């Protein structure tokens, strides 16, 4: 049994990670400011004596009473609409907040994993994107608080590793979906499902020919845990995602079909700097972690739609 901190543990990915770690017998301290997460996601864990929730913003230093073996840093809003609401707080979360957690890891001799993102590749000029690709990010655009924030977080991780020998793990997560995404989150899968189930218009931004590659939550959680448990030499970055690539128009049509919705597909303006494509090269994850996603998009969508049916 290890004492493990999950920051952002009340969010979509974080709550699934907390659940998995509890099921495998670990003590979990969930740290979250509830900005985009919700106690609803974690309320089922309160009865478990191994679970503790602390409401805290990582931009403030944090030193729990307990010993700490591992820290998963997932604290940061992930949806473009959410992370742009308070851009300055987003960038502080990814810089000041990350430095606070690295200081905690250093003080307690803990291993620490950063949930980085495919957004570090920006508008990618190569596809699929390998970890060696250095990206094409607009440093002054509306997405920069997130993209550049996450790039700086990676830099901080590697500087703490080089300066203090900290045990670090960096994963670059590609679009992930599943239960416990918030209905108002704004990301494409949750938006389209909620719109389809309510027979509202399904809103495609731009011409819908931009692509994304979608990973089901259970696959992602297993990748995160495998990365944390890998040998200390493997710092990353390692891409985690599903390399099956879809246009956004295909996603809309698929969800319309599965739900049998009466919704119409409508077209809206494309947000500034919205990447035209995203597809992970996961050779490194396969080779170094023996990990690859197992859940096809169609199956994951059916499960996610079942979840949203119980919520709306
Ligand atoms: P989410 O918005 O559901 O969860 C983020 C959680 O972090 C929320 O519970 C929120 O309240 C909390 N949080 C935000 N700022 C905080 C702060 N300053 N202090 C403490 N808690 C804070 O998003 P998610 O999809 O679960 O994403 C989790 C992590 O994974 C994020 O770091 C995100 O950047 C990364 N990621 C997610 C995806 C994806 O497709 N879901 C892709 C790439 C990277
Ligand atoms: N998108 C869309 N309609 C929506 C929400 C999103 O067409 O209601 C598009 C968005 O413009 C982007 C893609 O779907 O091209 C994925 O968006 P999301 O916000 O899920 O994640 P991103 O990969 O952009 O961070």
């Amino acid at each position: 049994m290890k004492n493990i901190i999950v920051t952002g543990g009340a969010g979509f990915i974080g709550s699934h990670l907390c659940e998995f770690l509890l099921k495998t017998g670990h003590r979990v301290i969930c740290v979250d400011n509830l900005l985009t997460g919700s106690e609803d996601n974690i309320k089922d864990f309160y009865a478990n004596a191994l679970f503790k929730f602390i409401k805290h913003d990582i931009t403030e230093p944090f030193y729990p009473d307990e010993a700490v073996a591992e820290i998963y840093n997932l604290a940061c809003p992930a949806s473009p609409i959410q992370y742009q609401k308070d851009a300055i707080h987003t960038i502080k979360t990814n810089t000041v907040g990350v430095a606070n957690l690295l200081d905690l890891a250093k003080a307690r001799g803990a291993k620490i994993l950063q949930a980085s993102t495919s957004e570090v590749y920006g508008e990618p000029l190569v596809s699929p994107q390998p970890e060696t690709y250095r990206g094409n990010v607009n440093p002054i655009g509306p997405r920069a608080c997130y993209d550049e924030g996450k790039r700086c977080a990676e830099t901080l991780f590697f500087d703490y590793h080089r300066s203090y020998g900290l045990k670090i793990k960096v994963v670059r997560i590609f679009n992930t979906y599943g239960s416990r995404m918030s209905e108002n989150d704004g990301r494409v899968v949750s938006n389209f499902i909620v719109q389809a189930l309510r027979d509202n218009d399904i809103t495609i931004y731009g011409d819908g020919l931009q692509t994304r590659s979608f990973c089901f939550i259970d696959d992602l959680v297993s990748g995160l845990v495998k990365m944390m448990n890998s040998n200390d030499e493997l710092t990353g970055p390692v891409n985690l995602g599903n390399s099956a690539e879809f246009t956004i128009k295909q996603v809309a049509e698929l969800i319309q079909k599965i739900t049998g919705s009466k919704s119409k597909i409508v077209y809206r303006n494309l947000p500034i700097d919205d990447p035209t494509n995203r597809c992970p090269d996961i050779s490194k994850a396969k080779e170094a972690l023996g990990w690859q996603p197992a859940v096809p998009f169609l199956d994951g969508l059916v499960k996610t739609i079942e979840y949203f049916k119980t919520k709306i």
Side-chain angles (χ1 to χ4, degrees), residues 8 10-14 31-37 56-59 74-78 89 93 115-117 146 150 173-176 187:
F12 158 51
I13 298 176
V31 177
D32 200 299
N33 65 355
L34 300 180
L35 183 67
T36 51
H56 178 84
D57 191 307
I58 63 160
T59 59
L74 276 71
C76 181
H89 187 257
T93 294
S116 188
T117 168
Y146 185 76
K150 290 282 188 177
I173 302 170
F174 284 64
N175 298 64
T176 299
R187 280 178 279 186

Side-chain angles (χ1 to χ4, degrees), residues 121 123-130 132-136 277-279:
Y121 301 123
E123 169 60 26
L125 303 178
V126 297
S127 185
Q129 294 87 52
T132 46
Y133 180 53
R134 292 190 183 171
N136 177 30
N277 68 95
R278 238 191 257 128
C279 179

Side-chain angles (χ1 to χ4, degrees), residues 23-205:
K23 273 193 188 139
T24 44
H26 297 293
R27 193 181 300 279
V28 174
I29 305 170
C30 166
V31 177
D32 200 299
N33 65 355
L34 300 180
L35 183 67
T36 51
S38 147
E39 280 196 82
D40 208 36
N41 286 338
I42 52 172
K43 65 177 186 319
D44 290 349
F45 316 150
Y46 287 162
N48 188 332
L50 295 178
F51 182 75
K52 183 170 171 184
F53 170 59
I54 299 174
K55 186 164 186 268
H56 178 84
D57 191 307
I58 63 160
T59 59
E60 299 297 328
F62 172 69
Y63 290 92
D65 302 331
E66 298 86 349
V68 182
E70 294 175 356
I71 303 168
Y72 288 85
N73 179 31
L74 276 71
C76 181
S79 163
I81 289 174
Q82 305 299 334
Y83 66 64
Q84 290 173 30
K85 274 186 184 159
D86 186 347
I88 294 166
H89 187 257
T90 299
I91 201 155
K92 282 186 181 162
T93 294
N94 285 316
T95 52
V96 178
V98 165
N100 283 336
L101 296 177
L102 287 162
D103 283 335
L104 169 64
K106 179 170 168 258
R108 299 291 169 83
K111 196 172 3 170
I112 180 163
L113 179 144
Q114 167 66 0
S116 188
T117 168
S118 54
E119 286 276 318
V120 300
Y121 301 123
E123 169 60 26
L125 303 178
V126 297
S127 185
Q129 294 87 52
E131 291 84 352
T132 46
Y133 180 53
R134 292 190 183 171
N136 177 30
V137 175
N138 174 3
I140 57 167
R143 293 174 88 101
C145 59
Y146 185 76
D147 302 7
E148 294 290 11
K150 290 282 188 177
R151 286 172 70 94
C152 182
E154 289 197 12
T155 308
L156 278 165
F157 262 66
F158 279 85
D159 282 336
Y160 270 70
H161 175 65
R162 279 185 289 261
S163 301
Y164 305 119
L166 218 67
K167 291 178 188 166
I168 61 155
K169 306 277 174 192
V170 175
V171 290
R172 292 181 179 156
I173 302 170
F174 284 64
N175 298 64
T176 299
Y177 68 99
S179 61
R180 303 204 190 117
M181 292 182 93
S182 145
E183 133 194 10
N184 307 315
D185 179 82
R187 280 178 279 186
V188 68
V189 171
S190 46
N191 262 15
F192 285 1
I193 292 176
V194 171
Q195 290 165 342
L197 291 177
R198 290 185 172 145
D199 288 331
N200 291 339
D201 290 347
I202 296 179
T203 54
I204 290 183
Y205 302 157

